[in-house]
Amino acid sequence: MAQDETQNVQNSNKDDYRMWLGGEVTFGAMSELDFTFGPSFGIMVAKNMAVGGTLMFSSGNSAYEWGLEPYFRYYLPVADQFSFYGDAYFGFGGGDSNTDFEGGDYNFLDFGARAGLQFWFSPRWSMAASTDIINYSSVNNEGEFGAGVSFNTVSFALFIHF
């Protein structure tokens, strides 16, 4: 009996874990803010499909920003430990900017798609890197559309799967 139990533990793979908890860190030119931290939670809803959400906090240049970003994720496995993924996301939040002449509070709304690569270094732990490929952002009801891959702003994430 003990041998069977040991074999089951050794034969577990990343598909056995349906939820994850983690966080991401972004360095780059995000709305003139220098640093973003975002705790994240997700759950697989079907094979290669997941839903999740990230709570974001950004700061830099005497300003800060907070937001909530629910997302839908689709995985494209390329090897046992690697998967490409695409996220469709919708974000909203606000902040306080003291960097311009007027300063003051603002709110934002954004949505778009991002591409990423995820690597499982064990069945329970993975890391990912992603960047926006298309997005729309609106700050205080003034919108801006963007498209293209930018390596100036890359998000890195670490996840534990359970």
Side-chain angles (χ1 to χ4, degrees):
M1 293 293 280
Q3 290 173 346
D4 291 339
E5 187 174 318
T6 304
Q7 285 178 337
N8 287 340
V9 170
Q10 290 174 346
N11 291 336
S12 67
N13 63 38
K14 64 182 170 68
D15 296 331
D16 294 338
Y17 304 104
R18 308 290 298 163
M19 293 184 279
W20 64 85
L21 184 63
E24 69 180 57
V25 177
T26 303
F27 300 95
M30 290 185 53
S31 303
E32 300 179 14
L33 301 178
D34 299 327
F35 174 78
T36 298
F37 172 73
S40 180
F41 174 79
I43 185 167
M44 298 296 292
V45 294
K47 184 170 176 65
N48 297 333
M49 288 187 255
V51 294
T54 303
L55 180 62
M56 307 297 281
F57 178 78
S58 301
S59 68
N61 296 330
S62 300
Y64 71 89
E65 184 173 279
W66 65 271
L68 180 62
E69 186 178 274
Y71 59 85
F72 170 80
R73 180 170 290 174
Y74 187 81
Y75 286 99
L76 295 169
V78 292
D80 285 343
Q81 293 178 296
F82 287 95
S83 290
F84 287 110
Y85 66 86
D87 283 350
Y89 65 89
F90 172 79
F92 57 92
D96 186 13
S97 175
N98 294 321
T99 60
D100 60 6
F101 182 75
E102 291 131 24
D105 295 331
Y106 63 91
N107 57 51
F108 72 88
L109 173 71
D110 64 351
F111 57 90
R114 72 175 55 95
L117 177 65
Q118 193 160 350
F119 170 69
W120 279 263
F121 47 90
S122 82
R124 286 180 128 343
W125 291 93
S126 70
M127 55 192 271
S130 65
T131 188
D132 283 351
I133 54 175
I134 188 168
N135 70 332
Y136 175 82
S137 295
S138 173
V139 176
N140 289 338
N141 300 320
E142 294 181 18
E144 182 178 304
F145 177 77
V149 175
S150 171
F151 293 105
N152 291 336
T153 304
V154 176
S155 296
F156 297 96
L158 179 66
F159 300 108
I160 183 168
H161 302 265
F162 51 97

